[in-house]
Amino acid sequence: MIRKLLNGDIDRVADIWLKTNLKAHYFISNQYWKSNYELVKEMMSQSEVYVFEADKMIQGFVGLNDEYIEGIFVSDEMQSCGIGKLLLDYIKDKKVRLQLNVYQNNTRAISFYQREGFIIQCEGLDEATGEKEYTMLWKQK
């Protein structure tokens, strides 16, 4: 089931955020993610966040800022089970256009977004990490 984030969900969602970033972004210092943990928790309560819940346990979430996807995160044990696609399809139904940034070293995420109809628009640099990234765009047909 997909639903809006509740305040009581924030610890679990932040935990998924941290673990997923540490694993997917092995090329960025662990300290970077750990130092942003509290800020992210704070921002979540003020953002448009949808969670995927199965058996009363949150297994993934998507964060949005208008048409910009801040990220899609799925718990380690539930990755590659279709949860990311369900979350993405859910927000595609709500928006006519979606944009996101993805690190070039995160080839798994790039493949996922391309498979889901996103196209690389341009290349940039994430100033906070010094990592190259792509800006990707999806438009409803």
Side-chain angles (χ1 to χ4, degrees):
M1 163 179 102
I2 296 175
R3 62 170 175 78
K4 273 198 157 188
L5 176 84
L6 304 171
N7 279 340
D9 300 331
I10 290 179
D11 285 344
R12 169 70 179 157
V13 167
D15 194 42
I16 292 172
W17 175 87
L18 181 61
K19 286 180 179 159
T20 305
N21 274 315
L22 291 172
K23 183 180 175 191
H25 304 125
Y26 59 88
F27 45 89
I28 295 171
S29 133
N30 285 359
Q31 194 48 46
Y32 172 77
W33 302 112
K34 290 175 182 172
S35 67
N36 280 293
Y37 182 77
E38 290 303 323
L39 175 67
V40 165
K41 278 175 78 169
E42 216 174 279
M43 289 167 63
M44 279 182 194
S45 61
Q46 299 152 26
S47 303
E48 187 180 354
V49 178
Y50 299 97
V51 299
F52 176 88
E53 192 177 47
D55 299 323
K56 295 191 168 85
M57 176 62 104
I58 293 171
Q59 298 294 359
F61 72 96
V62 57
L64 286 169
N65 184 347
D66 194 23
E67 295 178 333
Y68 183 81
I69 299 175
E70 297 288 353
I72 296 177
F73 301 89
V74 176
S75 65
D76 201 27
E77 60 275 12
M78 297 300 285
Q79 287 189 1
S80 299
C81 295
I83 294 171
K85 181 173 172 33
L86 287 171
L87 286 162
L88 186 57
D89 288 346
Y90 185 81
I91 61 171
K92 279 179 171 178
D93 281 343
K94 297 183 170 304
K95 310 283 180 179
V96 292
R97 181 180 185 280
L98 290 165
Q99 192 174 328
L100 59 89
N101 287 350
V102 61
Y103 293 115
Q104 289 182 17
N105 280 329
N106 193 350
T107 53
R108 192 170 172 213
I110 293 166
S111 298
F112 168 74
Y113 289 121
Q114 286 179 321
R115 201 169 53 241
E116 296 305 318
F118 282 76
I119 342 169
I120 294 172
Q121 292 292 291
C122 61
E123 199 174 295
L125 189 72
D126 177 16
E127 305 247 333
T129 61
E131 287 290 325
K132 287 183 181 175
E133 60 185 3
Y134 291 124
T135 298
M136 299 182 81
L137 179 70
W138 169 85
K139 284 183 185 166
Q140 203 170 55
K141 292 187 172 127

